[in-house]
Amino acid sequence: DTAVSQTPKYLVTQMGNDKSIKCEQNLGHDTMYWYKQDSKKFLKIMFSYNNKELIINETVPNRFSPKSPDKAHLNLHINSLELGDSAVYFCASSHELAGGSDEQFFGPGTRLTVL
Amino acid sequence: GNSVTQMEGPVTLSEEAFLTINCTYTATGYPSLFWYVQYPGEGLQLLLKATKADDKGSNKGFEATYRKETTSFHLEKGSVQVSDSAVYFCALTLANAGGTSYGKLTFGQGTILTVHP
C-alpha cells in the first residue's frame, strides 16, 4: 500500500564499512531521486534517475553509487563510510511532466549513523 | 545559480495564531514553486504549489501566492493548530528552454514551526 518505501529505516555502522539503502515505488513513476538531509534539516538532491538512466549527479563523492535495476527501484550503495555521511537519506519519485511542476512523493527516510 | 531563502526559525505560536513563513527565490527562467511539509519522523509531503506568476496555491487552510515582481512565495495560514507543528520547506523546480524539466527540487533551509495549545 505504501507509495515510496525505503529499507532500512535506521542504519548504524562503523566508519569504513560499505552499506546499501533500498528504495521502491509502486506509483508507476518514471523518475526517482535521492536526497540527503543533514542535522540542520537542510535537504539537497544527490541523484536523479529517469527510466533507469542517470540524469542528475550533484557532485556527490564517488563512494556513493546509485543503481536502478528497473523503473520502480533506486538503490543507494555507499562505500567506505565516513562520519560526515551521517544523515537522513530520502528517496522520492515523480512522473516526468513538462514544466517541472509535478509533485515528488517522498519515502519515510533512512537515518544513517556512522560511528 | 538557483536558490531559495526562507525566514529563520524556529517559529513558536499559540493555537489559532496567524502564521507567515517568508520565502524568496533566485532563479533563471520560469520556476515552479512549492511548499513541502515534514511532520516529525516522516518524509516530506507536498502542501501546495504554484506554477506561474500570480497563481495561488492552497491546501488545508494554508495559502501562498507566486509573486514574480518580488520573487516571493510566502506561506500563510489564518489560524494554526497544534497538528500543524512540523518543518516547512519552500522549494523550486526549473523548466529548461524546451519546457521540460528533470524535476530537480532546490530547497530552502526549512522552518521549524511549533504550535502550543
Side-chain angles (χ1 to χ4, degrees), chain B residues 72-99:
Chain B
S72 65
F73 192 55
H74 304 321
L75 183 68
E76 296 182 338
K77 186 174 185 182
S79 176
V80 293
Q81 306 300 312
V82 172
S83 57
D84 294 326
S85 298
V87 184
Y88 292 80
F89 293 92
C90 187
L92 67 81
T93 61
L94 203 60
N96 63 21

Side-chain angles (χ1 to χ4, degrees), chain A residues 8-77:
Chain A
K9 191 168 173 63
Y10 299 96
L11 184 54
V12 181
T13 188
Q14 300 287 330
M15 255 188 350
N17 284 351
D18 302 338
K19 290 292 179 186
S20 292
I21 306 172
K22 296 187 175 181
C23 178
E24 176 181 2
Q25 54 95 3
N26 62 5
L27 298 167
H29 289 163
D30 293 327
T31 306
M32 296 184 73
Y33 313 81
W34 278 109
Y35 290 87
K36 180 180 180 180
Q37 185 175 44
D38 64 23
S39 59
K40 296 184 178 177
K41 302 288 188 184
F42 186 70
L43 269 160
K44 188 166 164 54
I45 191 165
M46 300 173 69
F47 301 103
S48 162
Y49 269 73
N50 179 261
N51 284 316
K52 304 194 313 176
E53 184 181 342
L54 180 65
I55 302 297
I56 296 173
N57 182 342
E58 285 286 297
T59 60
V60 177
N62 57 14
R63 298 182 296 104
F64 290 79
S65 52
K67 294 228 172 11
S68 182
D70 55 58
K71 281 196 328 181
H73 296 83
L74 181 63
N75 303 323
L76 184 64
H77 188 76

Side-chain angles (χ1 to χ4, degrees), chain B residues 58-76:
Chain B
S58 60
N59 186 25
K60 300 181 183 179
F62 290 89
E63 292 183 342
T65 301
Y66 188 143
R67 301 280 187 208
K68 189 177 176 184
E69 62 277 10
T70 54
T71 62
S72 65
F73 192 55
H74 304 321
L75 183 68
E76 296 182 338

Side-chain angles (χ1 to χ4, degrees), chain A residues 37 55 58 96 99-101 104, chain B residues 36 38 49 93 99 101-103:
Chain A
Q37 185 175 44
I55 302 297
E58 285 286 297
E96 196 52 38
S101 62
Q104 292 187 20
Chain B
Y36 279 81
Q38 183 179 24
K49 70 179 183 184
T93 61
S101 168
Y102 298 123

Side-chain angles (χ1 to χ4, degrees), chain B residues 1-62:
Chain B
N2 306 317
S3 65
V4 177
T5 302
Q6 292 179 230
M7 66 184 285
E8 291 287 331
V11 174
T12 303
L13 296 173
S14 297
E15 209 164 23
E16 299 183 5
F18 184 85
L19 169 71
T20 300
I21 301 177
N22 289 340
C23 171
T24 56
Y25 67 89
T26 303
T28 53
Y30 308 99
S32 294
L33 301 174
F34 304 81
W35 278 100
Y36 279 81
V37 58
Q38 183 179 24
Y39 297 103
E42 297 182 12
L44 282 74
Q45 52 187 276
L46 180 68
L47 182 58
L48 52 85
K49 70 179 183 184
T51 59
K52 60 184 189 296
D54 300 325
D55 269 1
K56 178 188 280 189
S58 60
N59 186 25
K60 300 181 183 179
F62 290 89

